[in-house]
Amino acid sequence: MAGYRVAILGATGAVGTELLQLLEERQFPIAELKLLASARSAGQTCTFGGETLTVEATTAEAFKGVDIVLASAGGSTSKAWIDTIVAAGAVTIDNSSAFRMRPDVPLVVPEVNPDAAANHEGIIANPNCTTILMAVATWPLHLVQPIQRIVAATYQSASGAGARAMEEVKVQSRAILDGGEPVAEILPYPLAFNLFPHNSPLGPNGYCEEEMKMVNETRKIFGTEAVRVTATCVRVPVLRAHSEALNLEFAEPFSVDRAREILKSAAGVTLLEDWERNYFPMPIDASGKDNVLVGRIRQDISNPNAIDLWLCGDQIRKGAALNAVQIAELLVEKGWVKRKSAR
């Protein structure tokens, strides 16, 4: 297969680095790869396919001839460059929240709504990390019996705030173990040996932005406003991989055994349960893995029409970079992206 010209916008960040690794691991058909970042990151080098690539400062010229842009540089950067990228004829798969709720922008999880990507007009949005993980685990059940309500509690790792936040937790941990005081600069409060409700801005309804992303994005991905979602998002002292406790309510009872059988063969899901050992998915199990790990599926003893489940997923991989690469693979497979040139 002839290759595509691909650019990674935000190539030096945690997700950008993972994008680079995944493109190589999954042998994405690339004719040319451009690594783009801010001017202060320009000049750094990365290895891809045995070659050393130099990171370039982001300019309008850099997008000329590019077929696919994998953007993970933050919403403000995406908004600043999107018109230039679209005008250059490239398709942007954007990892920020900048375009997710725009009616003309598909919000895609390939295991759930792959056909939505066909309707892009130059932009496809990658959902929020917690939404992606939840959608992969719940959609197979929703197809069998529509979910009426989801009550979610998330336990979100430092990786969700980027590479600098991950490093900050390490520094804070050393400081505490050495008898010192932890200093918070990237996150608003010390996270080492601590936890706090997600620090995204609070809305007038008392929900933070992160929680409302799960509410609104799930409905858009599932293609229905009928699914009621409530979420409480918490930042926890884990370096990588998010966890979620989900309560799923249906119109009628949903057999736990049936749910287990469905998830055992669901795309993007690994069932991990050892009831005798009380061993269920943990962030340490999910880190570096592509699939969402699901376990501890049980009957809700307070509601005969509800079941509970627990999941862990790598926020940087499936929660961000992997989902974006899977969308790019989908575009190539279906011919939903035009190739300007091939080597």
Side-chain angles (χ1 to χ4, degrees):
M1 182 184 295
Y4 291 75
R5 288 185 170 182
V6 178
I8 299 177
L9 179 59
T12 58
V15 176
T17 302
E18 200 77 14
L19 284 166
L20 187 68
Q21 180 181 330
L22 284 164
L23 290 172
E24 183 167 5
E25 281 181 10
R26 297 171 71 89
Q27 298 182 326
F28 189 84
I30 291 178
E32 181 182 356
L33 180 60
K34 292 186 177 184
L35 306 183
L36 307 177
S38 63
R40 69 175 179 273
S41 297
Q44 294 184 30
T45 58
C46 300
T47 302
F48 181 83
E51 297 182 11
T52 299
L53 303 180
T54 301
V55 177
E56 304 175 34
T58 307
T59 63
E61 185 70 23
F63 295 111
K64 290 183 178 178
V66 170
D67 303 311
I68 300 171
V69 176
L70 300 172
S72 189
S76 59
T77 300
S78 292
K79 289 178 181 179
W81 290 105
I82 194 63
D83 290 343
T84 300
I85 297 170
V86 172
V91 178
T92 297
I93 302 169
D94 186 69
N95 197 57
S96 77
S97 61
F99 312 109
R100 289 175 187 158
M101 298 312 298
R102 270 180 40 174
D104 60 330
V105 175
L107 186 65
V108 177
V109 178
E111 293 89 345
V112 178
N113 61 336
D115 292 342
N119 302 317
H120 75 81
E121 297 178 8
I123 313 170
I124 298 174
N126 218 26
N128 191 51
C129 48
T130 51
T131 307
I132 292 173
L133 303 179
M134 184 170 73
V136 170
T138 58
W139 178 251
L141 304 177
H142 182 77
L143 285 176
V144 174
Q145 189 171 322
I147 298 171
Q148 292 192 330
R149 184 170 184 254
I150 302 175
V151 180
T154 72
Y155 307 78
Q156 297 180 222
S157 63
S159 63
R164 293 173 65 199
M166 295 170 72
E167 187 59 33
E168 180 170 270
V169 173
K170 295 178 185 178
V171 173
Q172 289 173 352
S173 298
R174 294 189 192 102
I176 292 172
L177 292 172
D178 289 340
E181 291 292 326
V183 177
E185 295 178 346
I186 307 304
L187 292 167
Y189 315 109
L191 186 57
F193 301 97
N194 191 31
L195 58 81
F196 47 83
H198 200 280
N199 54 288
S200 55
L202 289 169
N205 62 359
Y207 284 70
C208 69
E209 282 186 358
E210 187 80 358
E211 293 159 349
M212 291 308 300
K213 287 174 185 177
M214 296 186 74
V215 174
N216 297 322
E217 292 177 18
T218 300
R219 291 172 176 169
K220 183 172 180 178
I221 295 164
F222 278 28
T224 177
E225 292 292 313
V227 179
R228 293 172 292 149
V229 181
T230 182
T232 300
C233 295
V234 179
R235 187 76 74 187
V236 297
V238 172
L239 284 182
R240 181 164 173 158
H242 291 351
S243 304
E244 301 180 16
L246 304 180
N247 178 268
L248 311 178
E249 183 179 336
F250 304 86
E252 299 176 350
F254 198 118
S255 163
V256 169
D257 289 339
R258 178 68 172 134
R260 189 171 287 116
E261 286 302 312
I262 291 168
L263 291 173
K264 190 181 294 184
S265 59
V269 172
T270 297
L271 187 67
L272 178 58
E273 293 186 314
D274 188 334
W275 289 89
E276 290 185 2
R277 296 172 56 213
N278 194 15
Y279 191 107
F280 303 103
M282 294 183 285
I284 198 170
D285 299 314
S287 294
K289 303 291 186 4
D290 290 345
N291 279 5
V292 178
L293 309 185
V294 179
R296 205 168 180 232
I297 305 168
R298 63 199 189 279
Q299 175 65 47
D300 177 352
I301 60 174
S302 71
N303 184 347
N305 294 343
I307 61 175
D308 292 298
L309 63 80
W310 171 259
L311 68 81
C312 292
D314 190 314
Q315 177 275 330
I316 302 178
R317 286 181 84 88
K318 184 54 187 172
L322 175 61
N323 200 73
V325 172
Q326 287 176 312
I327 293 172
E329 291 171 342
L330 183 65
L331 295 179
V332 169
E333 177 189 350
K334 299 293 187 179
W336 293 337
V337 58
K338 296 179 181 178
R339 185 173 56 238
K340 299 183 185 65
S341 63
R343 187 163 56 190

